């Protein structure tokens, strides 16, 4: 069975044809529970997210700040497994028809088996993977299996990435390019780094046709509107997770992320 890389491309192209950036939401699988996480993903899509990244909880999430680390810890203590991540992708995609990616560090895939992971993700209707710690020069095996199963390979670029490396990454990647707006870990911030626009320009200067989507630090409609002014997609994670952590119960958390997605969707449309 083939994955949904085409759906991802069509979704990002549709947003561009509407003259706006796509809104990409991140939530970890298994948080606050597996069922609760699936309901939260449905809610952010209902609120206006175009694409969702499902985080595979990891015990040592080097890119993630304290908010997402807290959610990952809750999921891991709840016993979340890769099978639960696949179920989350399957049910979220089946319920919404939207492209669902998995964001994961490399070690869990390596231990699980690349062929097994890609085959199961495609069977679940997944659109691909974001792999923040997989070096492009070591990615051939992953890319071979991802391409075979119709899955996108999304690499992360950072302000420190040299132009030569940006060219290597855009040549090897598919789906879109994840541009980290700053050096550091995920988290909500008072302002979006001014390095983000320069990074988007340098990434596009490689000649790539891939959309360039910006994450790390976007937490409110004004910031979403700012990033939407120069990026193809606006990625929001910690703000959604924080909304759920701050909610008095799981049901309130679901409604909180639905509302936040609605506000951010207005931001990417310039209506904030």
């Amino acid at each position: 069975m083939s994955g949904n890389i085409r759906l991802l491309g069509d979704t990002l192209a549709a947003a561009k044809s509407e003259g706006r950036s796509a809104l990409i939401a991140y939530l970890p699988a298994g948080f606050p529970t597996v069922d609760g996480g699936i309901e939260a993903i449905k809610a952010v899509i209902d609120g206006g997210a175009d694409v969702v990244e499902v985080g595979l909880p990891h015990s040592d999430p080097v890119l993630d700040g304290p908010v997402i680390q807290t959610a990952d810890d809750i999921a891991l203590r709840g016993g979340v497994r890769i099978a639960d991540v696949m179920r989350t992708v399957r049910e979220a995609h089946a319920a919404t028809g939207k492209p669902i990616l998995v964001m994961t560090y490399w070690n869990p895939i390596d231990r699980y088996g690349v062929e097994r992971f890609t085959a199961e993700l495609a069977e679940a209707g997944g659109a691909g993977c974001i792999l923040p710690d997989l070096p492009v020069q070591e990615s051939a095996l992953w890319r071979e299996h991802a391409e075979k199963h119709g899955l996108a390979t999304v690499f992360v670029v950072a302000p420190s990435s040299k132009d030569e490396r940006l060219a290597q990454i855009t040549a090897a990647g598919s789906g879109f390019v994840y541009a980290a707006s700053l050096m550091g870990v995920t988290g909500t911030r008072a302002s979006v780094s001014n390095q983000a626009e320069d990074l988007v320009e340098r990434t596009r200067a490689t000649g790539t046709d891939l959309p360039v989507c910006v994450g790390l630090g976007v937490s409110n409609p004004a910031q979403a509107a700012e990033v939407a002014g120069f990026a193809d997609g606006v990625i929001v994670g910690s703000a959604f997770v924080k909304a759920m952590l701050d909610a008095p119960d799981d049901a309130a958390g679901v409604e909180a992320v639905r509302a936040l997605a609605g506000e951010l969707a207005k931001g990417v449309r310039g209506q904030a």
Side-chain angles (χ1 to χ4, degrees):
M1 183 172 178
S2 182
N4 273 311
I5 186 173
R6 180 172 292 181
L7 174 64
L8 175 63
D10 289 348
T11 300
L12 295 172
K16 185 175 183 178
S17 73
E18 295 172 14
R20 65 175 179 89
S21 287
L23 175 60
I24 302 174
Y26 167 94
L27 283 167
F31 168 72
T33 62
V34 176
D35 289 341
I38 292 167
E39 291 307 309
I41 291 168
K42 293 179 187 175
V44 298
I45 291 172
D46 185 53
D50 300 288
V51 179
V52 171
E53 304 172 7
V54 175
L56 194 160
H58 194 274
S59 57
D60 185 26
V62 292
L63 186 70
D64 297 315
V67 171
I68 291 175
Q69 285 185 22
T70 298
D72 277 5
D73 185 55
I74 290 168
L76 290 168
R77 283 191 283 114
V80 72
R81 297 288 183 265
I82 288 179
D84 299 310
V85 177
M86 297 299 178
R87 179 188 154 209
T88 299
V89 172
R90 179 182 294 104
E91 294 193 15
H93 172 65
T96 65
K98 296 291 187 179
I100 313 291
L101 300 108
V102 170
M103 185 166 190
T104 178
Y105 298 98
W106 178 246
N107 183 255
I109 296 178
D110 192 36
R111 286 166 49 194
Y112 197 72
V114 175
E115 169 60 23
R116 181 184 177 195
F117 190 95
T118 52
E120 290 184 8
L121 182 56
E123 188 275 329
C129 260
I130 301 161
L131 300 159
D133 66 340
L134 177 63
V136 65
Q137 65 270 23
E138 297 175 18
S139 67
L141 178 65
W142 163 266
R143 287 187 287 120
E144 174 191 341
H145 288 288
E147 186 173 343
K148 180 171 76 170
H149 290 291
L151 298 169
T153 298
V154 179
F155 289 112
V156 177
V157 298
S160 60
S161 300
K162 305 298 185 188
D163 290 348
E164 180 183 1
R165 180 161 178 79
L166 290 177
Q168 292 173 340
I169 288 171
T170 57
S174 55
F176 63 90
V177 179
Y178 186 126
S181 66
L182 42 77
M183 302 302 294
V185 298
T186 59
T188 60
R189 289 176 172 81
S191 62
V192 178
S193 167
N194 57 12
Q195 296 174 305
E197 186 168 4
D198 176 66
L199 178 58
V200 170
E201 290 177 0
R202 290 198 299 120
T203 303
R204 287 178 175 153
T206 64
T208 184
D209 292 329
L210 294 175
V212 184
C213 305
V214 170
L216 270 66
V218 179
S219 61
N220 61 50
Q223 291 172 341
E226 178 188 349
V227 173
F230 58 82
D232 299 299
V234 179
I235 303 168
V236 181
S238 294
F240 283 118
V241 176
K242 187 175 187 300
M244 294 185 69
L245 286 170
D246 290 347
D249 55 53
D250 292 355
V254 168
E255 291 312 309
V257 295
R258 189 194 316 274
L260 178 57
E263 295 169 9
L264 293 165
K266 289 180 180 178
V268 300
R269 289 168 172 81
Q271 300 166 356

